[in-house]
């Protein structure tokens, strides 16, 4: 893990850490298993807000197993939200 800069954006850092761990056999076996882990973390979030980071980390795992770039996906989702919000925000 030493070769992964801690200065990377958080999602990219998590992605690279997970990818490195996967090369050593420390990984969810499938995208479905990663989804289940994310669902478990979401349920745990109801008990304590401190688990939000765990939920985000699990969601990065889902993205990685699906061959997605979570940084790009979040940026695209934010852009879609901004476009939709701009329509609401702009008076007619």
């Amino acid at each position: 893990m030493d070769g992964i800069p801690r200065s990377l954006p958080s999602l990219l850092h998590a992605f690279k850490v997970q990818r490195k761990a996967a090369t050593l056999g420390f990984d969810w076996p499938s995208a479905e298993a990663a989804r289940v882990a994310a669902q478990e973390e979401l349920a745990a979030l109801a008990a304590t807000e401190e688990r939000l980071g765990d939920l985000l980390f699990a969601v990065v795992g889902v993205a990685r197993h699906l061959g997605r770039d979570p940084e790009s996906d979040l940026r695209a989702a934010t852009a879609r939200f901004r476009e939709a919000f701009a329509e609401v925000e702009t008076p007619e």
Side-chain angles (χ1 to χ4, degrees), residues 56-89:
L56 292 170
F57 192 79
V59 170
V60 168
V62 174
R64 188 174 49 79
H65 273 279
L66 294 175
R68 305 293 306 176
D69 174 0
E71 193 77 32
S72 296
D73 286 348
L74 179 57
R75 191 166 304 278
T78 302
R80 287 191 305 272
F81 177 83
R82 287 180 62 133
E83 288 173 15
F85 188 77
E87 291 178 18
V88 172
E89 188 178 39

Side-chain angles (χ1 to χ4, degrees), residues 10-84:
S10 297
L11 284 174
L12 182 58
H13 185 255
F15 182 83
K16 288 184 179 247
V17 164
Q18 286 186 17
R19 189 171 59 191
K20 175 79 170 198
T23 66
L24 302 173
F26 191 82
D27 196 6
W28 291 285
S30 66
E32 183 56 32
R35 279 190 197 104
V36 168
Q39 290 169 337
E40 290 170 356
E41 294 299 344
L42 183 58
L45 183 61
T48 173
E49 293 175 358
E50 295 170 355
R51 299 295 294 264
L52 181 59
D54 296 337
L55 172 60
L56 292 170
F57 192 79
V59 170
V60 168
V62 174
R64 188 174 49 79
H65 273 279
L66 294 175
R68 305 293 306 176
D69 174 0
E71 193 77 32
S72 296
D73 286 348
L74 179 57
R75 191 166 304 278
T78 302
R80 287 191 305 272
F81 177 83
R82 287 180 62 133
E83 288 173 15

